[in-house]
Amino acid sequence: MVIGALSLGAAPRLIARFGAVRVLIPGLVLIAAGLALLGEVPARGAYAADVLPALLLLGTGFAPAMTALATLAMSAAAPGDSGIASGLFNTAQQVGAAFGLAVLSTLATSRTAALLDDGGGTAAALADGYRLAFRVGALFVLGALAVAVAVLLRRPAGAGAAPAAGQQASVSQVPPVSDRSHAR
């Protein structure tokens, strides 16, 4: 519910006010923090104290980050290419998520199996496997944050910046990530 409410309400307004890049970066920081918190949940942790705070951070970060990413991806497309750009963005998002889940699941399963083989308890082994996966996931997001900062903040002055006072930004005002155009 947090993701849906923020994606439909607050995220577009934040992007219009501050620009997509300035919304993406804190969103990624919140996602990394949420995953890092999940990487510390004890085997016998309580939902309200140990899991809920991390999920709130994840939801609060995911909504603006994904909305900002979609805005940045679509802003680089010419109107005639918007359908293919949208399809490419959604495909990359789905494939990336599936690949990331496969890697993290493999890490969690391997760690859990190793601990069980060493005589560890089931709950402790599972928790440790999941903690490893969440910590690695947090590192992946920090890597994405580093790439976003390096690539998006190096753009020419005004690119991805907030609109001038009194102006509303639209997707058409967000400059493309690259200056390359498609020849037809």
Side-chain angles (χ1 to χ4, degrees):
M1 281 184 26
V2 172
I3 294 172
L6 291 175
S7 292
L8 296 174
R13 287 194 301 268
L14 288 171
I15 292 169
R17 180 168 180 172
F18 299 109
V21 174
R22 290 185 182 156
V23 172
L24 173 64
I25 292 171
L28 291 175
V29 169
L30 289 171
I31 293 169
L35 289 170
L37 276 179
L38 285 174
E40 299 300 319
V41 173
R44 303 279 184 217
Y47 178 78
D50 297 312
V51 177
L52 183 59
L55 295 181
L56 290 173
L57 284 174
L58 284 168
T60 304
F62 190 79
M66 289 308 298
T67 307
L69 280 172
T71 300
L72 289 165
M74 295 305 297
S75 69
D81 294 333
S82 62
I84 190 117
S86 176
L88 183 60
F89 173 75
N90 286 318
T91 300
Q93 178 185 355
Q94 295 296 316
V95 170
F99 179 72
L101 180 60
V103 168
L104 296 177
S105 297
T106 300
L107 287 172
T109 301
S110 296
R111 177 70 177 156
T112 300
L115 290 172
L116 289 173
D117 288 346
D118 289 342
T122 303
L126 278 170
D128 200 63
Y130 284 124
R131 281 193 298 265
L132 174 64
F134 287 129
R135 289 172 185 157
V136 171
L139 291 175
F140 284 167
V141 174
L142 290 175
L145 175 63
V147 169
V149 167
V151 172
L152 297 174
L153 292 182
R154 286 187 11 202
R155 295 189 306 170
Q167 289 183 335
Q168 290 291 321
S170 69
V171 172
S172 63
Q173 291 173 315
V174 178
V177 173
S178 73
D179 292 332
R180 290 176 262 149
S181 62
H182 297 86
R184 293 199 179 228

